[in-house]
Amino acid sequence: RKPVVLTGLELGTCTTKWTIDYLSQAEGSKEVKIHVSAVPQMDFLSKNFVYRTLPFDVFVRRAAEVKHKEYFLTEDEKYYLRSVGEDVRKDIADIRKQFPILAEDVHIPEYFEKEQFFSSVFRISSAGLQLWTHYDVMDNFLIQVTGKKRVVLYSPQDAPYLYLSGTKSEVLDVDNPDLEKYPLFVKAKRYQCVLEAGDVLFIPALWFHNVISEEFGVALNVFWKHLPAESYDKTDTYGNKDPMAASRAIQILDRALKTLEELPEEYRDFYARRMVLRIQEKAYRNDYG
């Protein structure tokens, strides 16, 4: 249940074929919805980016540029494509459906059963783009096909230090964090790796990750269900909704906290601390140290 970088795997012809020219020609002018950001650090919480639509071939060439002659926001804006299903409310991302020609070039490492497969997310990033720190609820491979990425990871046990809002951390700049605003962040143990073209990073479910594209690059994320299928929310097309039991537990906790509001502050504090101790006793692992 720990991240690991796998090298030397057989990934298909994608690692040699996926040049800018080939990508542009293979999928042509089909339109894609992309993220466009005026700054390198994209923040999903404040939504410091806009969505725009471009023909795929135009998008690929723009994403590979450092300065743009044509642009939406600024001449050095960053681009990011995260493929989605035809209907994002009902369909998962699957490279075989959204990019069938490119899918033929990819061999996905077979480290899980076919029936466990959930999605395959095609990604293209401008050089310098940094994605917000977040966790996913399924195991996944980050397959770096072209370009280079730096990935910073944090263990699930360090969640108390990451200033979470849902599945995402408020700490955007993990290299130079604002410790006045986020003083506990120094307690989070940082793991880091650099993915070269052809490398595969295994990211276990619940491990936080922050991804920096050192170069223009193309990647594929493959998610699979390592818990029983019924554990997951059937309406989840992105693979980032908490397992059903976890969602129910959080709802029950919220109701319990609401009930505590009926008590005076001194009593609320006392019984809240008792609840925390009970959670630690009943649910915490004792092998984290």
Side-chain angles (χ1 to χ4, degrees):
R1 306 305 305 158
K2 291 186 177 177
V4 64
V5 177
L6 305 172
T7 61
L9 295 181
E10 175 50 54
L11 300 175
T13 57
C14 56
T15 52
T16 53
K17 285 175 71 175
W18 283 9
T19 63
I20 295 169
D21 286 340
Y22 176 78
L23 289 168
S24 301
Q25 293 165 7
E27 295 291 347
S29 60
K30 66 189 292 178
E31 291 201 329
V32 288
K33 189 177 182 180
I34 57 173
H35 302 67
V36 182
S37 176
V39 295
Q41 290 167 334
M42 288 180 56
D43 180 5
F44 195 82
L45 294 174
S46 69
K47 297 288 196 300
N48 67 344
F49 54 84
V50 296
Y51 292 104
R52 293 291 183 265
T53 301
L54 280 176
F56 183 75
D57 52 354
V58 174
F59 158 69
V60 169
R61 295 189 182 282
R62 278 212 210 173
E65 298 171 345
V66 177
K67 295 284 185 184
H68 312 292
K69 291 181 179 177
E70 295 183 65
Y71 51 85
F72 296 108
L73 304 173
T74 65
E75 65 176 5
D76 54 357
E77 65 193 14
K78 305 296 182 186
Y79 295 91
Y80 171 56
L81 167 68
R82 184 235 190 258
S83 66
V84 294
E86 285 74 12
D87 183 338
V88 294
R89 295 166 300 177
K90 297 186 292 186
D91 302 322
I92 59 161
D94 188 340
I95 190 174
R96 295 168 297 185
K97 295 178 181 176
Q98 285 94 47
F99 299 92
I101 297 172
L102 295 178
E104 293 178 5
D105 302 333
V106 182
H107 174 75
I108 294 172
E110 296 179 358
Y111 284 86
F112 55 92
E113 301 297 331
K114 284 184 171 59
E115 60 269 19
Q116 291 178 288
F117 171 82
F118 176 72
S119 66
S120 50
V121 182
F122 183 65
R123 301 182 191 269
I124 296 181
S125 305
S126 293
L129 184 79
Q130 182 171 11
L131 291 180
W132 52 90
T133 304
H134 68 284
Y135 70 87
D136 300 296
V137 300
M138 296 183 193
D139 285 354
N140 78 90
F141 281 141
L142 173 55
I143 302 170
Q144 191 64 27
V145 181
T146 72
K148 182 164 68 173
K149 278 192 175 78
R150 179 164 59 92
V151 185
V152 178
L153 302 110
Y154 301 95
S155 162
Q157 76 186 85
D158 283 341
Y161 315 130
L162 297 180
Y163 297 87
L164 297 184
S165 178
T167 63
K168 302 162 187 69
S169 169
E170 293 179 12
V171 186
L172 279 187
D173 191 342
V174 294
D175 295 319
N176 298 288
D178 182 344
L179 295 180
E180 286 192 8
K181 191 173 183 181
Y182 307 113
L184 295 178
F185 187 71
V186 292
K187 294 187 176 184
K189 184 177 179 182
R190 172 191 180 113
Y191 300 80
Q192 180 171 294
C193 64
V194 174
L195 300 181
E196 304 283 353
D199 289 347
V200 178
L201 172 62
F202 168 57
I203 307 177
L206 309 184
W207 273 76
F208 297 89
H209 45 287
N210 181 289
V211 182
I212 304 101
S213 295
E214 303 279 2
E215 303 169 347
F216 165 78
V218 184
L220 183 68
N221 259 130
V222 181
F223 294 85
W224 66 91
K225 302 175 180 180
H226 78 283
L227 300 179
E230 61 271 17
S231 302
Y232 300 98
D233 189 329
K234 289 183 172 59
T235 66
D236 184 10
T237 58
Y238 280 86
N240 59 8
K241 288 187 179 180
D242 291 315
M244 300 289 283
S247 294
R248 291 197 303 272
I250 290 170
Q251 289 170 3
I252 292 167
L253 175 61
D254 286 341
R255 288 199 296 272
L257 294 172
K258 185 74 175 172
T259 304
L260 280 186
E261 292 178 8
E262 298 172 15
L263 294 169
E265 183 179 29
E266 180 183 355
Y267 283 75
R268 277 204 310 273
D269 180 89
F270 174 72
Y271 286 103
R273 291 175 190 274
R274 281 194 58 188
M275 288 167 67
V276 168
L277 290 172
R278 190 161 177 79
I279 290 172
Q280 289 177 335
E281 175 191 348
K282 294 291 186 181
Y284 275 29
R285 288 175 58 173
N286 57 16
D287 58 348
Y288 270 160

